[in-house]
Amino acid sequence: MTSLPLIPVDPDARARRAAMPPRHLADLDLAGRRALVAELGEPAFRAKQVSTHYFGRLVRDPRQMTDLPAATRGTFAEHLLPTLLTPVRELACDDGATRKALWRLHDGSLVESVLMGYPDRVTVCISSQAGCGMACPFCATGQAGLTRNLSTAEIVDQAVYLAGVAASGAVAGSPPRLSHVVFMGMGEPLANYSRVVAAIRRLVAPAPEGLGLSQRHITVSTVGLVPAIRRLASEDLSVTLALSLHAPDDDLRDELVPVNQRWKVAEVLDAAWDYAARTGRRVSIEYAMIKNVNDQPWRADLLGRLLAGKLAHVNLIPLNPTPGSRWDASPKPVEREFVRRLRDAGVSTTVRDTRGREIDGACGQLAAAEDRDTDRAGETA
Ligand code: SAH
């Protein structure tokens, strides 16, 4: 007997199948939408009308845009509002204040986003890529590699969908308006630079061109792609930059954040300080606390020396568990000593209030697999 598979194994199948989606109105600014609407043979004012539905009222389904003639709705459904995200599952915890959505994209790729409601704000954590190519060993997303970049509209549509969830009053005890967006979901946002910057422009443009969020309420988190950080500093944007540092020394950072082999700690911090100087925005330094790996007092002191006097804030993240990881979170007393040493060095430091761990929705846990997360309490779809 031979054991040849019936279907030939094709290692490139996934990459070949993965394809960018059709164009959507959120890919375009208002002028671009007007031009497209004219090309479709519709009066120019329809561009604003359809934008008001999508960005102003958070209506994503053309069938609900009942003030448009039926034929126009059909044309727009095909050419301006193709379905980009199909919800596969929504999980909730924290009494509904934290919700994770799993989407299937048009080519079958899967991505996740997370909504977090607080008494004074609503934050969504969105994905910029399906998978991630940065291979940080403590992050679940990095383990399966990169499938593809998301389009601008695929990025924006996550925020618009979840803004609609917030507006429906589903997040009890939180304001109904989405206020904050963090690019801390799946993917490395600066590796999908032009689409991410266009998505930021849609998020901050006033309605009906965009969602009208404040630039200060948008955070782009990066492993530290130095040329892209410098390019971002030269855009006329002043979003918050978060740098995933995780180690103050190159020996350890080379392992924890492999891109450090290309751009070293000193170089990436230089780029971060230039960003802070050009935008006036304090840079957020992300540091996952990993037991006996990066949590030693001497590393706190070294980090303190690197950051003292800079426009920086340290966000310590208790390491979240990921499948197959050999690492654990630091014990609380170790974490407290780390915080104490940084503050003694004059560095503003907080420990992140981690949300969504029980639904694998916390930092580094987004892996977008359909076969996980079943039989969980709080499943909502
Ligand atoms: N690629 C970008 C954005 C996505 S990750 C980046 O790396 O910055 C968002 C944050 O979660 C990053 O700071 C990342 O290092 C951190 N993170 C990843 N895995 C984690 C884990 N298991 N526990 C805690 N934080 C983690």
Side-chain angles (χ1 to χ4, degrees), residues 116-187:
M116 290 162 286
Y118 301 88
D120 60 336
R121 67 195 153 94
V122 174
T123 300
V124 301
C125 174
I126 58 177
S127 295
S128 55
Q129 298 182 311
C132 185
M134 298 297 127
C136 303
F138 56 92
C139 176
T141 310
Q143 303 320 301
L146 176 67
T147 302
R148 69 165 167 88
N149 284 323
L150 299 193
S151 70
T152 296
E154 284 174 321
I155 298 169
V156 172
D157 205 34
Q158 298 169 57
V160 172
Y161 180 99
L162 291 174
V165 171
S168 74
V171 192
S174 293
R177 242 186 95 75
L178 170 68
S179 52
H180 291 67
V181 172
V182 296
F183 284 83
M184 293 191 183
M186 301 174 75

